[in-house]
Amino acid sequence: MAIYRDQEIECMSREDMKKLQDERLAAQVKHVYENVKYYRDLMDEKGVKPEDVKSTDDLHKLPFLTKSDLRDAYPYGLLAKPLSECVRIQSTSGTTGKRVVAFYTQHDIDLWEECCARAIVAAGGTNEDVCQVCYGYGLFTGGPGLNGGSHKVGCLTLPMSSGNTERQITFMRDLGATILCCTPSYAAYIGETLHDMGYTTDDINLKAGIFGAEPWTEEMRRSIEKSLGIKAYDIYGLTETSGPGVAFECSEQTGMHINEDHFIPEIINPDTGEVLPDGEVGELVFTSITKEAFPLLRYRTRDLCVLSRKKCSCGRTLIKMSKPMGRSDDMLIIRGVNVFPSQIETVLIEQGYSPNYLIEVDRVNNTDTLDISVEMNPEQFSDKMKDMQEQEKALALAIKTMLGINPKVHLVSPKSIVRSEGKAVRVIDRRKLHD
Ligand code: DLL
């Protein structure tokens, strides 16, 4: 069974990859400078001309681009091809401000789907597979991206979109789905529903899952793998860079290989913009070197992670990014302490709780409060008040040991926290409402 979609690229020597990136970068900077006024102005302001960027060593000369630039330029200000050559738009959900609209030529769609195809092949996918895609379809990139990748691999594709979970399981069983693509929180929900319907992993044919679009912990991975009887692979991407498939996991499951022939990664200090060496945690920045319609140079993702060039047992030489540990903008600062929701999730699952929880932060009498509602499994439930209080105390202590601050833990009854069919909302920060 082929384990690579494109062995020549995925296992290319560093030297050859750099050469390829150098050529593509220089051409891309020229394309952008000539066709996008917004960029031209930014580059002129910094005194950089296209001929100053001959290779990846010159990348640092280019200005950064941020989400606020995308909003300023909405909707057409960053378009680098005539609209007549564009065939699609996709968009972010726009929950935190104006939507970001990304444009694609047919060439861009093909490259994007190829990136997703690499992810599917790395998860063991072939044309013998049945691939059930339960990411949302429509403006969200998850459904269309994995759908296209699945077609390219030749899988029988089930374009389910999210929702109607019992029907998902019926199709999964009737059509013998072998690969599941959705958010990790929806995968957990599908696993839960499977068991609620009285089935076990013996009643389904799944072997792999390709899960992304939101942060998820190693503990969550193990929990999903167990409940669905699969190997769970991570996949990363963002609308601005085309969608899923910017990076994908291989069988080693120790980070995601970045499709470096299309995206050049950098890690920067989010406060100063200084480029950090591999191995240091910082904000991930991408330069897309092959996209035509909506190419972004040095785009700040706000995702915090680490890059690694350690040799991978799968044979791929593509650089690896760690699971994003959160976004610089979803880190909570509670009583002065930096808290990532993923740290709380790790403790919950380690302590045997379900990944269904809600973190609520507020400010009362000038002091931050942290309340965590955690769903119990049926076997953890007790009708003795004292037992419940003991359990809450023990869990609060475990979380305090991890975070350094004291939370208030509320154990709530099984199935009382709303399940997510897409990206889960796990944090409500009410302090923002008072500001
Ligand atoms: O979530 C694209 C996608 C779809 C990726 C399906 C993977 C699978 P956006 O809606 O623009 O695009 O959100 C992008 O989601 O900046 C990260 O903060 C987060 N994210 C995406 N993948 C992962 C992941 C899609 N594997 C934002 N782990 C990104 C953690 C992720 N966070």
Side-chain angles (χ1 to χ4, degrees):
M1 187 177 74
I3 63 161
Y4 310 112
R5 170 81 182 161
D6 185 340
Q7 185 164 4
E8 194 189 331
I9 291 285
E10 292 174 59
C11 302
M12 195 173 243
S13 71
R14 287 311 321 162
E15 209 182 23
D16 288 348
M17 179 58 76
K18 181 165 184 326
K19 230 168 99 198
L20 182 69
Q21 288 180 331
D22 289 348
E23 282 164 17
R24 290 182 170 178
L25 175 67
Q28 185 71 302
V29 172
K30 188 166 176 288
H31 166 60
V32 162
Y33 189 85
E34 285 171 2
N35 294 293
V36 184
K37 178 177 179 312
Y38 194 96
Y39 263 115
R40 197 159 50 242
D41 290 348
L42 280 182
M43 284 173 61
D44 285 347
E45 218 172 275
K46 227 178 166 234
V48 196
K49 293 277 171 249
E51 44 288 9
D52 298 331
V53 183
K54 294 195 176 63
S55 79
T56 50
D57 304 323
D58 301 318
L59 201 53
H60 68 275
K61 296 178 183 164
L62 291 167
F64 289 118
L65 202 75
T66 65
K67 196 152 195 153
S68 87
D69 288 306
L70 266 55
R71 289 187 177 136
D72 291 348
Y74 175 90
Y76 295 126
L78 286 166
L79 195 60
K81 278 279 179 186
L83 269 185
S84 56
E85 288 183 41
C86 297
V87 296
R88 172 98 67 85
I89 68 149
Q90 303 283 165
S91 175
T92 57
S93 58
T95 44
T96 54
K98 212 192 270 176
R99 277 181 182 280
V100 167
V101 183
F103 297 84
Y104 305 71
T105 60
Q106 187 56 50
H107 159 97
D108 295 336
I109 299 264
D110 284 338
L111 296 183
W112 173 30
E113 292 179 352
E114 253 320 305
C115 288
C116 291
R118 286 184 194 170
I120 294 172
V121 171
T126 69
N127 59 359
E128 303 289 334
D129 279 290
V130 178
C131 183
Q132 180 161 350
V133 183
C134 331
Y135 286 109
Y137 280 65
L139 287 172
F140 179 55
T141 55
L146 269 307
N147 191 94
S150 173
H151 276 218
K152 286 238 188 289
V153 176
C155 303
L156 173 65
T157 310
L158 311 186
M160 300 294 293
S161 198
S162 62
N164 206 336
T165 309
E166 293 200 358
R167 191 183 64 182
Q168 300 275 5
I169 287 164
T170 306
F171 266 95
M172 183 182 284
R173 283 172 39 76
D174 292 351
L175 293 160
T178 51
I179 300 178
L180 175 67
C181 304
C182 60
T183 59
S185 52
Y186 195 39
Y189 184 25
I190 291 176
E192 188 182 2
T193 309
L194 176 82
H195 297 280
D196 287 351
M197 287 168 79
Y199 299 123
T200 69
T201 51
D202 292 340
D203 297 307
I204 53 173
N205 209 15
L206 282 185
K207 63 176 185 188
I210 304 179
F211 306 133
E214 63 183 2
W216 55 309
T217 57
E218 282 304 320
E219 291 71 23
M220 178 95 160
R221 186 205 306 263
R222 280 191 287 276
S223 154
I224 297 171
E225 288 187 330
K226 191 159 161 244
S227 93
L228 289 170
I230 58 171
K231 191 156 171 157
Y233 297 83
D234 205 349
I235 184 166
Y236 171 89
L238 52 161
T239 313
E240 295 90 316
T241 54
S242 62
V246 170
F248 61 96
E249 220 169 31
C250 62
S251 54
E252 201 182 85
Q253 294 180 309
T254 53
M256 293 174 270
H257 290 284
I258 296 174
N259 282 314
E260 282 181 275
D261 50 330
H262 300 299
F263 305 99
I264 304 177
E266 293 172 277
I267 292 284
I268 62 161
N269 176 327
D271 300 321
T272 62
E274 175 206 356
V275 178
L276 300 175
D278 294 347
E280 286 197 26
V281 183
E283 180 180 345
L284 188 55
V285 172
F286 279 115
T287 297
S288 59
I289 46 176
T290 48
K291 272 174 6 121
E292 292 180 339
F294 196 66
L296 299 184
L297 306 181
R298 299 196 92 199
Y299 181 65
R300 294 184 58 160
T301 64
R302 294 190 282 187
D303 291 318
L304 300 174
C305 73
V306 178
L307 294 179
S308 162
R309 292 194 189 275
K310 237 167 80 195
K311 200 163 183 272
C312 187
S313 61
C314 75
R316 287 180 185 78
T317 49
L318 299 172
I319 195 169
K320 272 164 71 168
M321 60 179 272
S322 65
K323 266 183 179 304
M325 6 201 118
R327 295 168 62 82
S328 50
D329 52 358
D330 50 55
M331 183 181 78
L332 296 159
I333 303 182
I334 305 173
R335 287 172 231 150
V337 175
N338 297 349
V339 174
F340 283 105
S342 59
Q343 293 174 296
I344 297 176
E345 181 176 299
T346 298
V347 178
L348 295 185
I349 302 181
E350 263 172 14
Q351 300 285 320
Y353 290 91
S354 72
N356 299 307
Y357 59 94
L358 183 68
I359 300 167
E360 290 170 272
V361 188
D362 206 342
R363 186 166 291 146
V364 179
N365 296 332
N366 291 322
T367 306
D368 293 335
T369 58
L370 170 61
D371 286 75
I372 309 172
S373 302
V374 183
E375 213 178 86
M376 285 170 290
N377 297 316
E379 61 278 11
Q380 290 163 325
F381 182 73
S382 160
D383 50 10
K384 289 203 192 99
M385 181 83 129
K386 191 154 174 288
D387 287 355
M388 298 307 307
Q389 283 170 343
E390 295 284 312
Q391 281 194 59
E392 285 178 344
K393 243 169 77 188
L395 184 53
L397 183 65
I399 294 171
K400 183 178 177 210
T401 309
M402 163 71 100
L403 303 180
I405 53 167
N406 239 328
K408 204 162 183 180
V409 168
H410 311 271
L411 290 178
V412 300
S413 46
K415 311 228 185 284
S416 58
I417 289 180
V418 180
R419 300 293 185 265
S420 149
E421 295 171 351
K423 296 189 191 227
V425 178
R426 304 204 194 273
V427 181
I428 300 177
D429 190 347
R430 296 204 173 80
R431 293 173 302 182
K432 291 187 182 140
L433 302 175
H434 315 315
D435 289 345

